[in-house]
Amino acid sequence: MDTETETPVYDLNMDIYYLLREEPFFAGMSRSVNKHASESVPTAGVRITDDGCGMLRDDAMLAAALRAARPGDRIVLAPGRYRPIAIDRSGRRGSPITLCGPRSAIVAGRGVEHGYTVHLDRAAHWRLRGFSVEGGQKGIVLDASDDVVLRGLRVGDTGDEAVHLRTGSSDVRVIGTTIRRTGLRMPAFGEGIYVGSAASNWCAFGGCGPDRSDGAVLLRNDIAGTTAEAIDVKEGTTGCVIRGNRLA
């Protein structure tokens, strides 16, 4: 008689399921996951525990995970508050790096006068999903970062704009993201989503030519409480698709 105990099978909660379903490896798949107790850190991302929370629970762990991130890794934030983050590593096309978490995982800036709360600098092929970004002079800034998806985030209480795609950040998708209360430092600069750069800034962000942050897709976002344009696509930037957004 076989007395071996069968490994329990758990279903991922729906939030995590939808996050995973859109990654290339999981595309089209809907299945349960066999889970095994282990003290080791996986080589491709962070474990997802039975309640859907990840292993990352403080700034030091998050910083270490971002420094070590490789294509295909998945970094999951637990509920809590985190210091501003800077990302300068890239995934690969078809094998992006994912940073995700619940709305109660909050990356918080140091007041509305200071810096970027989340900054991707030459960091291509990322997926940022679910968590919140609060404060900072600017909320999320992408510089020269292609094929990035910002999905289901909440961004707000910023000194200037909430989300800025610039310095040739192409093929970026901002989908289902909630933006509230911008321009707390400088109301004239309080855009919700800002794509590209004004001609007066082309030498800073476009090599003295147009800032070719082309091919942005802005879809089903909920933007309210901005002190400047809800969505501002600058001259010299092409191929942007804007559809189904709620602007108030």
Side-chain angles (χ1 to χ4, degrees):
M1 177 177 178
D2 185 3
T3 59
E4 182 179 354
T5 303
E6 183 178 358
T7 302
V9 175
Y10 300 88
D11 288 321
L12 296 176
N13 68 36
M14 292 306 294
D15 289 338
I16 299 299
Y17 166 73
Y18 284 118
L19 292 177
L20 297 183
R21 186 182 67 176
E22 296 181 8
E23 294 305 313
F25 180 76
F26 290 92
M29 298 177 64
S30 178
R31 61 179 177 83
S32 298
V33 175
N34 290 321
K35 306 196 71 171
H36 302 270
S38 173
E39 298 301 321
S40 64
V41 177
T43 58
V46 177
R47 283 187 308 182
I48 298 172
T49 59
D50 296 341
D51 62 1
C53 294
M55 293 173 62
L56 299 186
R57 297 183 181 275
D58 59 42
D59 292 305
M61 295 181 74
L62 175 56
L66 293 174
R67 285 195 303 269
R70 298 179 297 177
D73 280 2
R74 187 168 293 104
I75 302 167
V76 185
L77 298 172
R81 293 181 72 83
Y82 300 85
R83 290 195 292 265
I85 60 176
I87 298 172
D88 59 6
R89 300 178 68 87
S90 291
R92 289 194 300 265
R93 187 167 299 279
S95 189
I97 303 169
T98 297
L99 176 64
C100 61
R103 286 286 179 89
S104 54
I106 302 168
V107 181
R110 300 182 179 91
V112 298
E113 300 285 341
H114 304 288
Y116 310 154
T117 305
V118 175
H119 187 200
L120 280 75
D121 188 7
R122 294 172 176 80
H125 313 302
W126 277 80
R127 307 291 181 260
L128 275 58
R129 295 178 174 155
F131 58 92
S132 298
V133 177
E134 292 183 358
Q137 181 181 336
K138 304 178 189 295
I140 301 175
V141 176
L142 275 62
D143 283 314
S145 297
D146 300 336
D147 181 33
V148 173
V149 178
L150 311 177
R151 181 186 292 270
L153 303 172
R154 187 187 190 284
V155 188
D157 299 303
T158 56
D160 298 340
E161 67 269 29
V163 176
H164 195 160
L165 319 178
R166 69 183 187 191
T167 324
S169 295
S170 62
D171 300 319
V172 175
R173 285 141 286 169
V174 185
I175 302 172
T177 287
T178 299
I179 293 173
R180 294 288 187 273
R181 294 185 298 276
T182 64
L184 302 181
R185 181 190 78 97
M186 189 70 71
F189 298 158
E191 295 88 355
I193 303 174
Y194 192 114
V195 182
S197 301
S200 58
N201 287 324
W202 281 359
C203 284
F205 302 111
C208 291
D211 180 349
R212 301 307 301 268
S213 294
D214 296 337
V217 175
L218 314 179
L219 180 64
R220 297 193 306 275
N221 300 292
D222 182 354
I223 305 173
T226 63
T227 58
E229 297 89 341
I231 296 174
D232 191 358
V233 181
K234 305 308 291 186
E235 59 272 17
T237 299
T238 65
C240 186
V241 175
I242 303 171
R243 186 170 67 242
N245 299 282
R246 178 182 180 275
L247 312 178

